Amino acid sequence: MKALDVESVQAFVLVADLASFTRAAEAMESTQSAVSLKIKRLEDGLGRRLFERTPRRVRLTAAGQLFLDRARTLIAAHGNALDAFASERRRLVVGISDHAVGAELPLLLQRVKRAEPSLLLEMHVGSSRDLLASFDDGALDAVVVIGHDGGRRGGEVLLSEAFGWMAARDFAHRSGDPLPLAAHSESCAMRGMGVAALDAAKIPWTEVFVGGGVGTIAAAVSAGLAIAVLGRRVAPRDSVDVGPELGLPALPPRDLVLYASLSDPVARQSLRTIAAAIRSTAA
């Protein structure tokens, strides 16, 4: 058996973690065809097929599952060898809107850690408005926020987030009663978007659950206490969009935007991995 090419093994791990050849290519600042070629060479060298590919999904074969942990060990060892001459550990301070990931934050962090094991990632989760203020003050290297500031330029759109009126499957609303809402504070742009839509449609509403992050709001939704304006991608898995059923106004999509102030190529590589991991949550 030939010696394994480290970049091909890295490509394999990224495809496995991000469940996408496209996202792996973005993280490696390469092309999908180049990543496919690396995987093909790796499979030829191992004499095993590592992935099953369909138009909609990528999944590991039995051989791929068997090889994955060993591949991670190899990549980690390679990174440790290179770090022997590093003056300091790489550190990246990123702010991310809780509306951007919500309950998927653990999955995102896991994917980034697997792809960049030597990275010291400091993550700040909060409102888009507060994070942008910290970014402008230089406290954050990068932010991933829900785009709502029409005057801001230079960001990279990661994906378009679709919002809905999310509620538990067994949620029941009595006709004539104000719509019970779970929302952040008045400064939350997503709360403002929902309230403005209801007011414009002359639909009465009342807040029954206020404050906390998206995870807390999602808990109120899952418990059947209220309806919340949430991205469909990050809403609780047991929730549904009750907007059509209740005749609620349609909510506009919002772009999920990355702003960064990085010149260091190593840090920018790590940021590409984070961006690719976020895009992979939309798959």
Side-chain angles (χ1 to χ4, degrees), residues 17-23 55-58 104 107 111 158-159 161 233 237 276-283:
D17 285 342
L18 302 177
S20 169
F21 280 72
T22 301
R23 305 303 172 221
R56 290 185 173 271
R57 64 183 300 188
V58 174
E104 299 211 357
L107 176 62
R111 286 175 170 174
L158 300 183
L159 53 87
E161 190 77 87
R233 182 178 57 88
R237 296 186 183 278
I278 291 173
R279 285 191 174 106
S280 73
T281 64

mmCIF file with all atom_site columns, all heavy atoms in Angstrom, residues 17-23 55-58 104 107 111 158-159 161 233 237 276-283:
data_model
loop_
_atom_site.group_PDB
_atom_site.id
_atom_site.type_symbol
_atom_site.label_atom_id
_atom_site.label_alt_id
_atom_site.label_comp_id
_atom_site.label_asym_id
_atom_site.label_entity_id
_atom_site.label_seq_id
_atom_site.pdbx_PDB_ins_code
_atom_site.Cartn_x
_atom_site.Cartn_y
_atom_site.Cartn_z
_atom_site.occupancy
_atom_site.B_iso_or_equiv
_atom_site.pdbx_formal_charge
_atom_site.auth_seq_id
_atom_site.auth_comp_id
_atom_site.auth_asym_id
_atom_site.auth_atom_id
_atom_site.pdbx_PDB_model_num
ATOM 1   N N   . ASP A 1 17  ? -17.206 15.234 7.867  1.00 0.00 ? 17  ASP A N   1
ATOM 2   C CA  . ASP A 1 17  ? -17.732 16.111 8.907  1.00 0.00 ? 17  ASP A CA  1
ATOM 3   C C   . ASP A 1 17  ? -18.785 17.069 8.380  1.00 0.00 ? 17  ASP A C   1
ATOM 4   O O   . ASP A 1 17  ? -19.771 17.373 9.065  1.00 0.00 ? 17  ASP A O   1
ATOM 5   C CB  . ASP A 1 17  ? -16.598 16.916 9.550  1.00 0.00 ? 17  ASP A CB  1
ATOM 6   C CG  . ASP A 1 17  ? -15.752 16.075 10.490 1.00 0.00 ? 17  ASP A CG  1
ATOM 7   O OD1 . ASP A 1 17  ? -16.222 15.000 10.898 1.00 0.00 ? 17  ASP A OD1 1
ATOM 8   O OD2 . ASP A 1 17  ? -14.628 16.493 10.821 1.00 0.00 ? 17  ASP A OD2 1
ATOM 9   N N   . LEU A 1 18  ? -18.581 17.578 7.156  1.00 0.00 ? 18  LEU A N   1
ATOM 10  C CA  . LEU A 1 18  ? -19.494 18.564 6.597  1.00 0.00 ? 18  LEU A CA  1
ATOM 11  C C   . LEU A 1 18  ? -20.570 17.938 5.721  1.00 0.00 ? 18  LEU A C   1
ATOM 12  O O   . LEU A 1 18  ? -21.470 18.634 5.248  1.00 0.00 ? 18  LEU A O   1
ATOM 13  C CB  . LEU A 1 18  ? -18.707 19.600 5.782  1.00 0.00 ? 18  LEU A CB  1
ATOM 14  C CG  . LEU A 1 18  ? -17.627 20.362 6.558  1.00 0.00 ? 18  LEU A CG  1
ATOM 15  C CD1 . LEU A 1 18  ? -16.872 21.306 5.641  1.00 0.00 ? 18  LEU A CD1 1
ATOM 16  C CD2 . LEU A 1 18  ? -18.243 21.130 7.723  1.00 0.00 ? 18  LEU A CD2 1
ATOM 17  N N   . ALA A 1 19  ? -20.454 16.619 5.505  1.00 0.00 ? 19  ALA A N   1
ATOM 18  C CA  . ALA A 1 19  ? -21.436 15.876 4.701  1.00 0.00 ? 19  ALA A CA  1
ATOM 19  C C   . ALA A 1 19  ? -21.633 16.504 3.329  1.00 0.00 ? 19  ALA A C   1
ATOM 20  O O   . ALA A 1 19  ? -22.737 16.502 2.795  1.00 0.00 ? 19  ALA A O   1
ATOM 21  C CB  . ALA A 1 19  ? -22.770 15.781 5.442  1.00 0.00 ? 19  ALA A CB  1
ATOM 22  N N   . SER A 1 20  ? -20.551 17.013 2.756  1.00 0.00 ? 20  SER A N   1
ATOM 23  C CA  . SER A 1 20  ? -20.666 17.693 1.467  1.00 0.00 ? 20  SER A CA  1
ATOM 24  C C   . SER A 1 20  ? -19.300 17.885 0.837  1.00 0.00 ? 20  SER A C   1
ATOM 25  O O   . SER A 1 20  ? -18.376 18.381 1.491  1.00 0.00 ? 20  SER A O   1
ATOM 26  C CB  . SER A 1 20  ? -21.340 19.055 1.655  1.00 0.00 ? 20  SER A CB  1
ATOM 27  O OG  . SER A 1 20  ? -21.237 19.847 0.494  1.00 0.00 ? 20  SER A OG  1
ATOM 28  N N   . PHE A 1 21  ? -19.168 17.517 -0.435 1.00 0.00 ? 21  PHE A N   1
ATOM 29  C CA  . PHE A 1 21  ? -17.946 17.798 -1.170 1.00 0.00 ? 21  PHE A CA  1
ATOM 30  C C   . PHE A 1 21  ? -17.814 19.305 -1.418 1.00 0.00 ? 21  PHE A C   1
ATOM 31  O O   . PHE A 1 21  ? -16.713 19.855 -1.384 1.00 0.00 ? 21  PHE A O   1
ATOM 32  C CB  . PHE A 1 21  ? -17.949 17.048 -2.509 1.00 0.00 ? 21  PHE A CB  1
ATOM 33  C CG  . PHE A 1 21  ? -17.557 15.597 -2.397 1.00 0.00 ? 21  PHE A CG  1
ATOM 34  C CD1 . PHE A 1 21  ? -18.409 14.661 -1.831 1.00 0.00 ? 21  PHE A CD1 1
ATOM 35  C CD2 . PHE A 1 21  ? -16.319 15.171 -2.859 1.00 0.00 ? 21  PHE A CD2 1
ATOM 36  C CE1 . PHE A 1 21  ? -18.045 13.327 -1.726 1.00 0.00 ? 21  PHE A CE1 1
ATOM 37  C CE2 . PHE A 1 21  ? -15.945 13.834 -2.765 1.00 0.00 ? 21  PHE A CE2 1
ATOM 38  C CZ  . PHE A 1 21  ? -16.812 12.911 -2.193 1.00 0.00 ? 21  PHE A CZ  1
ATOM 39  N N   . THR A 1 22  ? -18.931 19.958 -1.648 1.00 0.00 ? 22  THR A N   1
ATOM 40  C CA  . THR A 1 22  ? -18.920 21.401 -1.902 1.00 0.00 ? 22  THR A CA  1
ATOM 41  C C   . THR A 1 22  ? -18.421 22.169 -0.690 1.00 0.00 ? 22  THR A C   1
ATOM 42  O O   . THR A 1 22  ? -17.564 23.062 -0.812 1.00 0.00 ? 22  THR A O   1
ATOM 43  C CB  . THR A 1 22  ? -20.331 21.897 -2.275 1.00 0.00 ? 22  THR A CB  1
ATOM 44  O OG1 . THR A 1 22  ? -20.777 21.196 -3.438 1.00 0.00 ? 22  THR A OG1 1
ATOM 45  C CG2 . THR A 1 22  ? -20.325 23.386 -2.554 1.00 0.00 ? 22  THR A CG2 1
ATOM 46  N N   . ARG A 1 23  ? -18.954 21.850 0.501  1.00 0.00 ? 23  ARG A N   1
ATOM 47  C CA  . ARG A 1 23  ? -18.525 22.548 1.714  1.00 0.00 ? 23  ARG A CA  1
ATOM 48  C C   . ARG A 1 23  ? -17.075 22.235 2.050  1.00 0.00 ? 23  ARG A C   1
ATOM 49  O O   . ARG A 1 23  ? -16.339 23.111 2.518  1.00 0.00 ? 23  ARG A O   1
ATOM 50  C CB  . ARG A 1 23  ? -19.426 22.168 2.893  1.00 0.00 ? 23  ARG A CB  1
ATOM 51  C CG  . ARG A 1 23  ? -20.911 22.399 2.665  1.00 0.00 ? 23  ARG A CG  1
ATOM 52  C CD  . ARG A 1 23  ? -21.211 23.837 2.309  1.00 0.00 ? 23  ARG A CD  1
ATOM 53  N NE  . ARG A 1 23  ? -22.604 24.002 1.919  1.00 0.00 ? 23  ARG A NE  1
ATOM 54  C CZ  . ARG A 1 23  ? -23.003 24.751 0.924  1.00 0.00 ? 23  ARG A CZ  1
ATOM 55  N NH1 . ARG A 1 23  ? -22.134 25.413 0.191  1.00 0.00 ? 23  ARG A NH1 1
ATOM 56  N NH2 . ARG A 1 23  ? -24.283 24.867 0.622  1.00 0.00 ? 23  ARG A NH2 1
ATOM 57  N N   . PRO A 1 55  ? -27.415 12.509 -5.506 1.00 0.00 ? 55  PRO A N   1
ATOM 58  C CA  . PRO A 1 55  ? -27.590 13.944 -5.753 1.00 0.00 ? 55  PRO A CA  1
ATOM 59  C C   . PRO A 1 55  ? -27.940 14.740 -4.509 1.00 0.00 ? 55  PRO A C   1
ATOM 60  O O   . PRO A 1 55  ? -27.677 15.942 -4.433 1.00 0.00 ? 55  PRO A O   1
ATOM 61  C CB  . PRO A 1 55  ? -28.742 13.973 -6.775 1.00 0.00 ? 55  PRO A CB  1
ATOM 62  C CG  . PRO A 1 55  ? -28.650 12.660 -7.488 1.00 0.00 ? 55  PRO A CG  1
ATOM 63  C CD  . PRO A 1 55  ? -28.217 11.688 -6.434 1.00 0.00 ? 55  PRO A CD  1
ATOM 64  N N   . ARG A 1 56  ? -28.520 14.099 -3.481 1.00 0.00 ? 56  ARG A N   1
ATOM 65  C CA  . ARG A 1 56  ? -28.994 14.832 -2.305 1.00 0.00 ? 56  ARG A CA  1
ATOM 66  C C   . ARG A 1 56  ? -28.143 14.635 -1.065 1.00 0.00 ? 56  ARG A C   1
ATOM 67  O O   . ARG A 1 56  ? -28.223 15.438 -0.131 1.00 0.00 ? 56  ARG A O   1
ATOM 68  C CB  . ARG A 1 56  ? -30.440 14.427 -1.986 1.00 0.00 ? 56  ARG A CB  1
ATOM 69  C CG  . ARG A 1 56  ? -31.443 14.936 -3.011 1.00 0.00 ? 56  ARG A CG  1
ATOM 70  C CD  . ARG A 1 56  ? -32.847 14.604 -2.586 1.00 0.00 ? 56  ARG A CD  1
ATOM 71  N NE  . ARG A 1 56  ? -33.834 15.222 -3.463 1.00 0.00 ? 56  ARG A NE  1
ATOM 72  C CZ  . ARG A 1 56  ? -34.338 16.426 -3.293 1.00 0.00 ? 56  ARG A CZ  1
ATOM 73  N NH1 . ARG A 1 56  ? -33.929 17.164 -2.264 1.00 0.00 ? 56  ARG A NH1 1
ATOM 74  N NH2 . ARG A 1 56  ? -35.220 16.926 -4.130 1.00 0.00 ? 56  ARG A NH2 1
ATOM 75  N N   . ARG A 1 57  ? -27.331 13.597 -0.995 1.00 0.00 ? 57  ARG A N   1
ATOM 76  C CA  . ARG A 1 57  ? -26.594 13.366 0.241  1.00 0.00 ? 57  ARG A CA  1
ATOM 77  C C   . ARG A 1 57  ? -25.291 12.625 -0.007 1.00 0.00 ? 57  ARG A C   1
ATOM 78  O O   . ARG A 1 57  ? -25.112 11.966 -1.036 1.00 0.00 ? 57  ARG A O   1
ATOM 79  C CB  . ARG A 1 57  ? -27.447 12.606 1.252  1.00 0.00 ? 57  ARG A CB  1
ATOM 80  C CG  . ARG A 1 57  ? -27.833 11.204 0.816  1.00 0.00 ? 57  ARG A CG  1
ATOM 81  C CD  . ARG A 1 57  ? -28.732 10.533 1.841  1.00 0.00 ? 57  ARG A CD  1
ATOM 82  N NE  . ARG A 1 57  ? -28.111 10.397 3.146  1.00 0.00 ? 57  ARG A NE  1
ATOM 83  C CZ  . ARG A 1 57  ? -28.641 9.713  4.151  1.00 0.00 ? 57  ARG A CZ  1
ATOM 84  N NH1 . ARG A 1 57  ? -29.812 9.111  3.997  1.00 0.00 ? 57  ARG A NH1 1
ATOM 85  N NH2 . ARG A 1 57  ? -28.032 9.624  5.316  1.00 0.00 ? 57  ARG A NH2 1
ATOM 86  N N   . VAL A 1 58  ? -24.399 12.768 0.953  1.00 0.00 ? 58  VAL A N   1
ATOM 87  C CA  . VAL A 1 58  ? -23.126 12.059 0.962  1.00 0.00 ? 58  VAL A CA  1
ATOM 88  C C   . VAL A 1 58  ? -23.044 11.307 2.279  1.00 0.00 ? 58  VAL A C   1
ATOM 89  O O   . VAL A 1 58  ? -23.276 11.882 3.343  1.00 0.00 ? 58  VAL A O   1
ATOM 90  C CB  . VAL A 1 58  ? -21.942 13.050 0.853  1.00 0.00 ? 58  VAL A CB  1
ATOM 91  C CG1 . VAL A 1 58  ? -20.621 12.300 1.010  1.00 0.00 ? 58  VAL A CG1 1
ATOM 92  C CG2 . VAL A 1 58  ? -21.977 13.797 -0.463 1.00 0.00 ? 58  VAL A CG2 1
ATOM 93  N N   . GLU A 1 104 ? -28.315 24.302 16.915 1.00 0.00 ? 104 GLU A N   1
ATOM 94  C CA  . GLU A 1 104 ? -27.299 23.621 16.132 1.00 0.00 ? 104 GLU A CA  1
ATOM 95  C C   . GLU A 1 104 ? -25.883 24.050 16.511 1.00 0.00 ? 104 GLU A C   1
ATOM 96  O O   . GLU A 1 104 ? -24.915 23.589 15.913 1.00 0.00 ? 104 GLU A O   1
ATOM 97  C CB  . GLU A 1 104 ? -27.527 23.886 14.642 1.00 0.00 ? 104 GLU A CB  1
ATOM 98  C CG  . GLU A 1 104 ? -28.866 23.380 14.154 1.00 0.00 ? 104 GLU A CG  1
ATOM 99  C CD  . GLU A 1 104 ? -28.832 22.941 12.713 1.00 0.00 ? 104 GLU A CD  1
ATOM 100 O OE1 . GLU A 1 104 ? -27.783 23.087 12.074 1.00 0.00 ? 104 GLU A OE1 1
ATOM 101 O OE2 . GLU A 1 104 ? -29.849 22.446 12.231 1.00 0.00 ? 104 GLU A OE2 1
ATOM 102 N N   . LEU A 1 107 ? -23.399 21.199 17.247 1.00 0.00 ? 107 LEU A N   1
ATOM 103 C CA  . LEU A 1 107 ? -22.993 20.519 16.025 1.00 0.00 ? 107 LEU A CA  1
ATOM 104 C C   . LEU A 1 107 ? -21.957 21.345 15.271 1.00 0.00 ? 107 LEU A C   1
ATOM 105 O O   . LEU A 1 107 ? -20.961 20.816 14.769 1.00 0.00 ? 107 LEU A O   1
ATOM 106 C CB  . LEU A 1 107 ? -24.208 20.267 15.141 1.00 0.00 ? 107 LEU A CB  1
ATOM 107 C CG  . LEU A 1 107 ? -23.941 19.648 13.765 1.00 0.00 ? 107 LEU A CG  1
ATOM 108 C CD1 . LEU A 1 107 ? -23.324 18.271 13.910 1.00 0.00 ? 107 LEU A CD1 1
ATOM 109 C CD2 . LEU A 1 107 ? -25.238 19.576 12.961 1.00 0.00 ? 107 LEU A CD2 1
ATOM 110 N N   . ARG A 1 111 ? -18.025 20.270 14.499 1.00 0.00 ? 111 ARG A N   1
ATOM 111 C CA  . ARG A 1 111 ? -17.486 20.179 13.153 1.00 0.00 ? 111 ARG A CA  1
ATOM 112 C C   . ARG A 1 111 ? -16.231 21.025 12.997 1.00 0.00 ? 111 ARG A C   1
ATOM 113 O O   . ARG A 1 111 ? -15.258 20.620 12.366 1.00 0.00 ? 111 ARG A O   1
ATOM 114 C CB  . ARG A 1 111 ? -18.548 20.596 12.138 1.00 0.00 ? 111 ARG A CB  1
ATOM 115 C CG  . ARG A 1 111 ? -19.630 19.551 11.944 1.00 0.00 ? 111 ARG A CG  1
ATOM 116 C CD  . ARG A 1 111 ? -20.736 20.031 11.032 1.00 0.00 ? 111 ARG A CD  1
ATOM 117 N NE  . ARG A 1 111 ? -21.643 18.939 10.679 1.00 0.00 ? 111 ARG A NE  1
ATOM 118 C CZ  . ARG A 1 111 ? -22.759 19.099 9.998  1.00 0.00 ? 111 ARG A CZ  1
ATOM 119 N NH1 . ARG A 1 111 ? -23.123 20.295 9.590  1.00 0.00 ? 111 ARG A NH1 1
ATOM 120 N NH2 . ARG A 1 111 ? -23.520 18.065 9.714  1.00 0.00 ? 111 ARG A NH2 1
ATOM 121 N N   . LEU A 1 158 ? -23.556 33.885 3.591  1.00 0.00 ? 158 LEU A N   1
ATOM 122 C CA  . LEU A 1 158 ? -23.337 32.448 3.749  1.00 0.00 ? 158 LEU A CA  1
ATOM 123 C C   . LEU A 1 158 ? -24.543 31.644 3.282  1.00 0.00 ? 158 LEU A C   1
ATOM 124 O O   . LEU A 1 158 ? -24.394 30.588 2.676  1.00 0.00 ? 158 LEU A O   1
ATOM 125 C CB  . LEU A 1 158 ? -23.026 32.116 5.213  1.00 0.00 ? 158 LEU A CB  1
ATOM 126 C CG  . LEU A 1 158 ? -21.788 32.780 5.811  1.00 0.00 ? 158 LEU A CG  1
ATOM 127 C CD1 . LEU A 1 158 ? -21.573 32.295 7.242  1.00 0.00 ? 158 LEU A CD1 1
ATOM 128 C CD2 . LEU A 1 158 ? -20.552 32.493 4.971  1.00 0.00 ? 158 LEU A CD2 1
ATOM 129 N N   . LEU A 1 159 ? -25.732 32.144 3.576  1.00 0.00 ? 159 LEU A N   1
ATOM 130 C CA  . LEU A 1 159 ? -26.952 31.479 3.146  1.00 0.00 ? 159 LEU A CA  1
ATOM 131 C C   . LEU A 1 159 ? -28.131 32.412 3.380  1.00 0.00 ? 159 LEU A C   1
ATOM 132 O O   . LEU A 1 159 ? -28.006 33.445 4.059  1.00 0.00 ? 159 LEU A O   1
ATOM 133 C CB  . LEU A 1 159 ? -27.160 30.142 3.875  1.00 0.00 ? 159 LEU A CB  1
ATOM 134 C CG  . LEU A 1 159 ? -27.110 30.136 5.404  1.00 0.00 ? 159 LEU A CG  1
ATOM 135 C CD1 . LEU A 1 159 ? -28.479 30.461 6.001  1.00 0.00 ? 159 LEU A CD1 1
ATOM 136 C CD2 . LEU A 1 159 ? -26.652 28.772 5.910  1.00 0.00 ? 159 LEU A CD2 1
ATOM 137 N N   . GLU A 1 161 ? -31.660 32.740 5.111  1.00 0.00 ? 161 GLU A N   1
ATOM 138 C CA  . GLU A 1 161 ? -32.395 32.106 6.204  1.00 0.00 ? 161 GLU A CA  1
ATOM 139 C C   . GLU A 1 161 ? -33.893 32.337 6.031  1.00 0.00 ? 161 GLU A C   1
ATOM 140 O O   . GLU A 1 161 ? -34.363 33.473 5.928  1.00 0.00 ? 161 GLU A O   1
ATOM 141 C CB  . GLU A 1 161 ? -31.938 32.705 7.537  1.00 0.00 ? 161 GLU A CB  1
ATOM 142 C CG  . GLU A 1 161 ? -32.424 31.985 8.759  1.00 0.00 ? 161 GLU A CG  1
ATOM 143 C CD  . GLU A 1 161 ? -31.646 30.711 9.005  1.00 0.00 ? 161 GLU A CD  1
ATOM 144 O OE1 . GLU A 1 161 ? -30.600 30.769 9.668  1.00 0.00 ? 161 GLU A OE1 1
ATOM 145 O OE2 . GLU A 1 161 ? -32.099 29.646 8.514  1.00 0.00 ? 161 GLU A OE2 1
ATOM 146 N N   . ARG A 1 233 ? -34.440 26.530 9.789  1.00 0.00 ? 233 ARG A N   1
ATOM 147 C CA  . ARG A 1 233 ? -33.255 25.688 9.860  1.00 0.00 ? 233 ARG A CA  1
ATOM 148 C C   . ARG A 1 233 ? -32.839 25.396 11.298 1.00 0.00 ? 233 ARG A C   1
ATOM 149 O O   . ARG A 1 233 ? -32.291 24.329 11.585 1.00 0.00 ? 233 ARG A O   1
ATOM 150 C CB  . ARG A 1 233 ? -32.107 26.385 9.109  1.00 0.00 ? 233 ARG A CB  1
ATOM 151 C CG  . ARG A 1 233 ? -30.796 25.631 9.025  1.00 0.00 ? 233 ARG A CG  1
ATOM 152 C CD  . ARG A 1 233 ? -29.791 26.426 8.204  1.00 0.00 ? 233 ARG A CD  1
ATOM 153 N NE  . ARG A 1 233 ? -29.585 27.749 8.768  1.00 0.00 ? 233 ARG A NE  1
ATOM 154 C CZ  . ARG A 1 233 ? -28.678 28.027 9.720  1.00 0.00 ? 233 ARG A CZ  1
ATOM 155 N NH1 . ARG A 1 233 ? -27.910 27.075 10.186 1.00 0.00 ? 233 ARG A NH1 1
ATOM 156 N NH2 . ARG A 1 233 ? -28.545 29.252 10.170 1.00 0.00 ? 233 ARG A NH2 1
ATOM 157 N N   . ARG A 1 237 ? -36.820 20.602 16.288 1.00 0.00 ? 237 ARG A N   1
ATOM 158 C CA  . ARG A 1 237 ? -37.188 19.569 15.318 1.00 0.00 ? 237 ARG A CA  1
ATOM 159 C C   . ARG A 1 237 ? -38.642 19.144 15.450 1.00 0.00 ? 237 ARG A C   1
ATOM 160 O O   . ARG A 1 237 ? -39.235 18.646 14.487 1.00 0.00 ? 237 ARG A O   1
ATOM 161 C CB  . ARG A 1 237 ? -36.263 18.349 15.481 1.00 0.00 ? 237 ARG A CB  1
ATOM 162 C CG  . ARG A 1 237 ? -34.802 18.653 15.156 1.00 0.00 ? 237 ARG A CG  1
ATOM 163 C CD  . ARG A 1 237 ? -33.955 17.395 15.199 1.00 0.00 ? 237 ARG A CD  1
ATOM 164 N NE  . ARG A 1 237 ? -32.553 17.682 14.966 1.00 0.00 ? 237 ARG A NE  1
ATOM 165 C CZ  . ARG A 1 237 ? -32.004 17.847 13.777 1.00 0.00 ? 237 ARG A CZ  1
ATOM 166 N NH1 . ARG A 1 237 ? -32.753 17.717 12.698 1.00 0.00 ? 237 ARG A NH1 1
ATOM 167 N NH2 . ARG A 1 237 ? -30.713 18.114 13.648 1.00 0.00 ? 237 ARG A NH2 1
ATOM 168 N N   . ALA A 1 276 ? -17.932 27.172 6.096  1.00 0.00 ? 276 ALA A N   1
ATOM 169 C CA  . ALA A 1 276 ? -18.387 25.947 5.441  1.00 0.00 ? 276 ALA A CA  1
ATOM 170 C C   . ALA A 1 276 ? -19.239 25.105 6.376  1.00 0.00 ? 276 ALA A C   1
ATOM 171 O O   . ALA A 1 276 ? -20.238 24.494 5.967  1.00 0.00 ? 276 ALA A O   1
ATOM 172 C CB  . ALA A 1 276 ? -17.180 25.144 4.948  1.00 0.00 ? 276 ALA A CB  1
ATOM 173 N N   . ALA A 1 277 ? -18.861 25.077 7.664  1.00 0.00 ? 277 ALA A N   1
ATOM 174 C CA  . ALA A 1 277 ? -19.636 24.313 8.640  1.00 0.00 ? 277 ALA A CA  1
ATOM 175 C C   . ALA A 1 277 ? -21.031 24.899 8.805  1.00 0.00 ? 277 ALA A C   1
ATOM 176 O O   . ALA A 1 277 ? -22.028 24.170 8.930  1.00 0.00 ? 277 ALA A O   1
ATOM 177 C CB  . ALA A 1 277 ? -18.909 24.281 9.975  1.00 0.00 ? 277 ALA A CB  1
ATOM 178 N N   . ILE A 1 278 ? -21.134 26.235 8.802  1.00 0.00 ? 278 ILE A N   1
ATOM 179 C CA  . ILE A 1 278 ? -22.445 26.878 8.914  1.00 0.00 ? 278 ILE A CA  1
ATOM 180 C C   . ILE A 1 278 ? -23.284 26.577 7.682  1.00 0.00 ? 278 ILE A C   1
ATOM 181 O O   . ILE A 1 278 ? -24.473 26.245 7.765  1.00 0.00 ? 278 ILE A O   1
ATOM 182 C CB  . ILE A 1 278 ? -22.283 28.397 9.119  1.00 0.00 ? 278 ILE A CB  1
ATOM 183 C CG1 . ILE A 1 278 ? -21.696 28.687 10.495 1.00 0.00 ? 278 ILE A CG1 1
ATOM 184 C CG2 . ILE A 1 278 ? -23.624 29.108 8.947  1.00 0.00 ? 278 ILE A CG2 1
ATOM 185 C CD1 . ILE A 1 278 ? -21.334 30.123 10.735 1.00 0.00 ? 278 ILE A CD1 1
ATOM 186 N N   . ARG A 1 279 ? -22.679 26.685 6.497  1.00 0.00 ? 279 ARG A N   1
ATOM 187 C CA  . ARG A 1 279 ? -23.427 26.379 5.277  1.00 0.00 ? 279 ARG A CA  1
ATOM 188 C C   . ARG A 1 279 ? -23.907 24.925 5.274  1.00 0.00 ? 279 ARG A C   1
ATOM 189 O O   . ARG A 1 279 ? -24.983 24.621 4.758  1.00 0.00 ? 279 ARG A O   1
ATOM 190 C CB  . ARG A 1 279 ? -22.543 26.635 4.055  1.00 0.00 ? 279 ARG A CB  1
ATOM 191 C CG  . ARG A 1 279 ? -22.348 28.103 3.709  1.00 0.00 ? 279 ARG A CG  1
ATOM 192 C CD  . ARG A 1 279 ? -21.694 28.237 2.342  1.00 0.00 ? 279 ARG A CD  1
ATOM 193 N NE  . ARG A 1 279 ? -21.605 29.613 1.905  1.00 0.00 ? 279 ARG A NE  1
ATOM 194 C CZ  . ARG A 1 279 ? -20.477 30.332 1.872  1.00 0.00 ? 279 ARG A CZ  1
ATOM 195 N NH1 . ARG A 1 279 ? -19.345 29.783 2.254  1.00 0.00 ? 279 ARG A NH1 1
ATOM 196 N NH2 . ARG A 1 279 ? -20.480 31.589 1.459  1.00 0.00 ? 279 ARG A NH2 1
ATOM 197 N N   . SER A 1 280 ? -23.120 24.041 5.874  1.00 0.00 ? 280 SER A N   1
ATOM 198 C CA  . SER A 1 280 ? -23.490 22.622 5.861  1.00 0.00 ? 280 SER A CA  1
ATOM 199 C C   . SER A 1 280 ? -24.732 22.349 6.704  1.00 0.00 ? 280 SER A C   1
ATOM 200 O O   . SER A 1 280 ? -25.413 21.343 6.499  1.00 0.00 ? 280 SER A O   1
ATOM 201 C CB  . SER A 1 280 ? -22.324 21.762 6.360  1.00 0.00 ? 280 SER A CB  1
ATOM 202 O OG  . SER A 1 280 ? -22.148 21.901 7.782  1.00 0.00 ? 280 SER A OG  1
ATOM 203 N N   . THR A 1 281 ? -25.072 23.249 7.635  1.00 0.00 ? 281 THR A N   1
ATOM 204 C CA  . THR A 1 281 ? -26.267 23.040 8.454  1.00 0.00 ? 281 THR A CA  1
ATOM 205 C C   . THR A 1 281 ? -27.542 23.272 7.644  1.00 0.00 ? 281 THR A C   1
ATOM 206 O O   . THR A 1 281 ? -28.635 22.911 8.092  1.00 0.00 ? 281 THR A O   1
ATOM 207 C CB  . THR A 1 281 ? -26.283 23.963 9.673  1.00 0.00 ? 281 THR A CB  1
ATOM 208 O OG1 . THR A 1 281 ? -26.360 25.332 9.258  1.00 0.00 ? 281 THR A OG1 1
ATOM 209 C CG2 . THR A 1 281 ? -25.046 23.761 10.536 1.00 0.00 ? 281 THR A CG2 1
ATOM 210 N N   . ALA A 1 282 ? -27.388 23.889 6.465  1.00 0.00 ? 282 ALA A N   1
ATOM 211 C CA  . ALA A 1 282 ? -28.556 24.123 5.630  1.00 0.00 ? 282 ALA A CA  1
ATOM 212 C C   . ALA A 1 282 ? -28.844 22.941 4.730  1.00 0.00 ? 282 ALA A C   1
ATOM 213 O O   . ALA A 1 282 ? -29.856 22.919 4.023  1.00 0.00 ? 282 ALA A O   1
ATOM 214 C CB  . ALA A 1 282 ? -28.353 25.380 4.768  1.00 0.00 ? 282 ALA A CB  1
ATOM 215 N N   . ALA A 1 283 ? -27.955 21.964 4.688  1.00 0.00 ? 283 ALA A N   1
ATOM 216 C CA  . ALA A 1 283 ? -28.121 20.828 3.793  1.00 0.00 ? 283 ALA A CA  1
ATOM 217 C C   . ALA A 1 283 ? -29.283 19.942 4.254  1.00 0.00 ? 283 ALA A C   1
ATOM 218 O O   . ALA A 1 283 ? -29.592 19.866 5.422  1.00 0.00 ? 283 ALA A O   1
ATOM 219 C CB  . ALA A 1 283 ? -26.832 20.005 3.755  1.00 0.00 ? 283 ALA A CB  1
#
